[in-house]
Amino acid sequence: MSHPSQDNAIESGRLIRALIYTLLIFFVIYYLLPLWVMVANSLKTLDEIRGGDMLAPPKDITFEPWRQAWSKTQIGVEATGLKPYFLNSIIMVVPAVFLSTFLGALNGYVLTKWAFRGSNLIFGLMLLACFIPFQIVLIPMARILGMLNLAGTISGLILVHTVYGLGFTTLFFRNYYAAFPTELVRAAQIDGASFFQVFWRILIPSSGPIIVVTIIWQFTNVWNDFLFGASFSSYDSTPITVALNNLVNSSTGVKEYNVHFAGAILAALPTLIVYIVSGRYFVRGLMAGAVKG
Amino acid sequence: MRERLQEWVPRIVLAPSFVAVLIVVYGFILYTGWLSMTNSRMLPNNEFIGLANYTKLFGLKHWSIALTNLAIFGTLYILISSVLGLFLAILLDQQIRTEGFIRTVYLYPMAISFIVTGVAWKWFLDPGIGLENTMHQWGWESFEFKWIKDRDFAIYTIVIAAIWQSSGYVMAMFLAGLRGVDNEIIKAAQVDGASGFLIYRRIIIPMMRPVFLSAFVVLTHLAIKSYDLVVAMTGGGPGRATEMPATFMYSYTFTRNQMGVGASSAIIMLIMIFSIIIPYLYSEIRVGADKR
Amino acid sequence: MASLTIDKLIKSFGAVEVLKGIDLEIEDGGFLVLVGPSGCGKSTLLNCIAGLEKTTSGEIRIGERNVEGLHPSKRDIAMVFQSYALYPNMTVRGNISFGMEIRGVDKAEQENAIQEVADILQIGELLDRKPSQLSGGQRQRVAMGRALVRHPQVFLFDEPLSNLDAKLRVDMRTEIKRLHKRMGTTIVYVTHDQIEALTLATKIAVLEAGYLQQFGTPDEIYNDPNNMFVADFMGSPSMNLIDGTLVERDGALEVQIAGHGGSSISLPVPDGAEMRKHVGGPIVFGIRPEAMTDPDGADRTSPHIETRDCYIEVSQPAGSDTFALTPLGGKECIARFRADARIELGAFSPISFNMTKAVFFDPQTTGRIR
């Protein structure tokens, strides 16, 4: 009725507002501190890190640690830098995200617009699958991958990430399509559209937001995964998270903190960029991931 | 004939996903359950030994360390993340001009891999080069912070890092909840004469009950599964001081060649998670059905 | 109990002025209804009275007291909200007593007050329920109970009935009116429903686009509208606003109105200096549907009835009456016939115009020509 009122939250005095801002800024610093530490120290020489103040900005900026981390440092047995592992991650992430998103969309479509007897049970089982501790599937999955000749391959990891991503992608699309007017589907059917025509021509064109949310969610999860990467990859299919951990926790040689920090930023960069570019969708994914049945 | 086919298309489309989930989730759970009752060591075998692995598991010192750590970690992590998340959400709900920016900052750790978080905090808390050293450089010579190297305190450093990673997420959940509060209720409370503090304490925070519940479930789930962060920060050490069920399962299964014990620990983890998730999902779905 | 005075009230949100100088006054025990379409500023005005929004300039007085800058709880008001705004985590009892608890009223007194309003509103058996367990009508009663228990100087109602279904709305309307009679407290009531306004109010303020269009008794608002907006907004079906031309014939003024096809009718217009300025120009002839009837249904007490033949296109039986649609001045006009009046469609029939109810507007300014 009235204009959207701007000032109906609880009013507070000037002193309290100053306190609120102080606290907010304090926490901004708290959250940014580790990132600052990583960035600042990835640009320092090893001597400067050892001799000095971790919180201080670099005195002489050097990009050598970045070069080292990207293409020179020794990970495992070979001195290749993180580059090949970064590429492994990309080759793994793209198909896994695409496949699980596509299947999730189809599943959501069937579960909402073509519900049949038992489809709710199927959805319940798929939803519950989102929450299992993955430790429980490690042993049999390793065996199955071996039987399929996919052990230690990127294809194997794609398969793993696709099937374990299905629960969430299905959940996202199901909840989105549940709010999609069924009348539109009925109208298209009366116009003679088949099952797939309805999907491609009616549902998909209006699924933009949820596709973005799902892709971001899956991308973040698959890129950041460590457990599956550590369990099912071999030296030529290792994803970047595992390579970074190997780099940082290798017990041999001098600890090159600056290279570790540069490597950590490299590993974080793709998801960070996605987050900064489309944070709104990222947050929506997180919220949907917090389960709305 | 064609009509009948049309009728089956949806089921055929859903089938591959469903069958895949049935096998790789439920089939595998059963298989792991079976393994937990066999004498499997480096490789699976089918020699049935009943619940012997479970007896053994609960007799292991490592496992009790892991459970104790999970209890400490879980309690502090859930409690502090929830309180901090709610606190930050309330602060941010006061018409803050730069809210968008601040929210982005609070939430970005959630976009980062636990491994990266682990690396950052591992070196930041490292006495040799991190916080302690920095304080010494700043002239505070007596400052000491060696928790990450200390058997009794290392687990708390993992709590610190984990809270850093997920409290922004909890904040976002609470913020969404606060934004959902009907403005008229706040107005009504003002007309009733309640102060800002009282409105939060008596009316708004009690209304956040469902958010507390969601946050509790999400955080519990993350706590029980937490593996990456421990591996990256401490590798379960010093000694086995930061062992958690997830790292225990991995090391017993893949490096100690005690697959049967590893499988039984995985089953225990599953039981822990499901005992929280299933009642939650059940009530969520029931509430959802009531609304319809 | 107290009167309420609003003086040159202006409210802006940033650069947007939502209330552009409102002057109102309601006497002690009066029932003021603020009515207008969505976005007219009526809810903002109510929030300003409540102190939930700061005024930009102007003055609000409750009784003799200027309430500028006073916290809502210090203004001696109570408010009923559109969404009822019941505290979901408290029982009905808790909702009603929350304000008293904050003011530090002692327990026994609280309990007496709760029982008193529970009796008045017949919500005694609901006291230990949570709001989520109540029906819409019950929530409405609880919201009113929470307001009643304060014994305020002024009650504020913000569209309290708009979330109820049609039947319940009529019942609650009666109930509010009865309550007002019984308590005698000053009420300010916001609604977009003009029927609610006409039935409840002792004074109506019609708002539109931040301006007070007219302020008066329901009778004045209905029969003597200030401008075309008020004429059109109040009443259902709304007043016919017919475009015509004012001419002078044999020294008398009349309005010529185009009818069906090439036909036209003309009706006498009361003479006056103001009216004469418009001779030869366009004029809007306003007449309510119930003042356009079949000749047998015309108001026998009216001293001035004019009957003209008009072309009837469509009829809409509505139970107690039948509405006949006739083209006049290029628009469909609605006439209200008796239910059993014989209507021949597609033909000319006589329609009686009750000219004592006719009003005239200047189409340029949309203001009344008196």
Side-chain angles (χ1 to χ4, degrees), chain A residues 74 76 245-255 260, chain B residues 122-123:
Chain A
Q74 179 156 347
N245 187 55
N246 290 347
L247 167 66
V248 174
N249 288 321
S250 70
S251 44
T252 53
V254 189
K255 287 220 183 309
H260 296 178
Chain B
K122 176 192 180 84
W123 295 143

Side-chain angles (χ1 to χ4, degrees), chain A residues 24 31 53 125 136 164 275, chain B residues 24 26 32 104 106 108 138 167:
Chain A
L24 285 171
Y31 284 109
D53 176 347
L125 287 173
I136 201 138
Y164 292 111
Y275 170 64
Chain B
V24 304
Y26 298 97
T32 304
T104 307
Y106 288 2
Y108 87 89
W138 287 6
S167 49

Side-chain angles (χ1 to χ4, degrees), chain C residues 356-367:
Chain C
T356 54
K357 298 280 188 186
V359 289
F360 298 90
F361 301 97
D362 178 344
Q364 230 95 63
T365 64
T366 76

Side-chain angles (χ1 to χ4, degrees), chain B residues 39 78 89 119 152 154 178 221:
Chain B
N39 188 18
I78 292 166
V119 172
D152 294 331
L178 292 175
H221 174 235

Side-chain angles (χ1 to χ4, degrees), chain C residues 3 31 52 62 88 94 131 162 191 210 225 241 274 288 305 310 319 345 348 369:
Chain C
S3 62
F31 197 130
L52 293 167
I62 295 175
S162 59
T191 180
L241 295 169
E274 205 39 49
R288 295 216 174 261
I305 302 272
C310 297
L345 297 181
F348 282 87
I369 307 169

Side-chain angles (χ1 to χ4, degrees), chain B residues 155-169:
Chain B
I155 187 72
Y156 299 104
T157 62
I158 294 174
V159 174
I160 293 172
I163 289 170
W164 178 80
Q165 176 118 7
S166 16
S167 49
Y169 179 19

Side-chain angles (χ1 to χ4, degrees), chain A residues 32-114:
Chain A
L32 284 179
L33 201 62
L35 188 65
W36 165 248
V37 166
M38 286 199 286
V39 172
N41 291 283
S42 74
L43 298 170
K44 291 178 187 171
T45 62
L46 208 48
D47 285 341
E48 193 184 337
I49 294 180
R50 284 215 198 84
D53 176 347
M54 197 175 224
L55 297 176
K59 288 197 199 82
D60 308 299
I61 291 182
T62 166
F63 292 100
E64 190 50 32
W66 284 76
R67 236 162 301 174
Q68 286 280 339
W70 179 245
S71 57
K72 294 203 178 112
T73 191
Q74 179 156 347
I75 293 166
V77 285
E78 283 177 83
T80 55
L82 287 169
K83 188 167 86 178
Y85 308 103
F86 194 92
L87 294 178
N88 283 346
S89 273
I90 290 178
I91 297 168
M92 168 185 82
V93 164
V94 173
V97 169
F98 173 77
L99 279 172
S100 56
T101 305
F102 176 71
L103 288 173
L106 270 179
N107 295 344
Y109 168 53
V110 171
L111 288 171
T112 52
K113 303 302 169 206
W114 298 86

Side-chain angles (χ1 to χ4, degrees), chain A residues 189-202:
Chain A
Q189 281 180 284
I190 288 165
D191 284 340
S194 69
F195 175 87
F196 287 105
Q197 280 170 325
V198 171
F199 179 65
W200 285 112
R201 304 283 296 278
I202 312 289

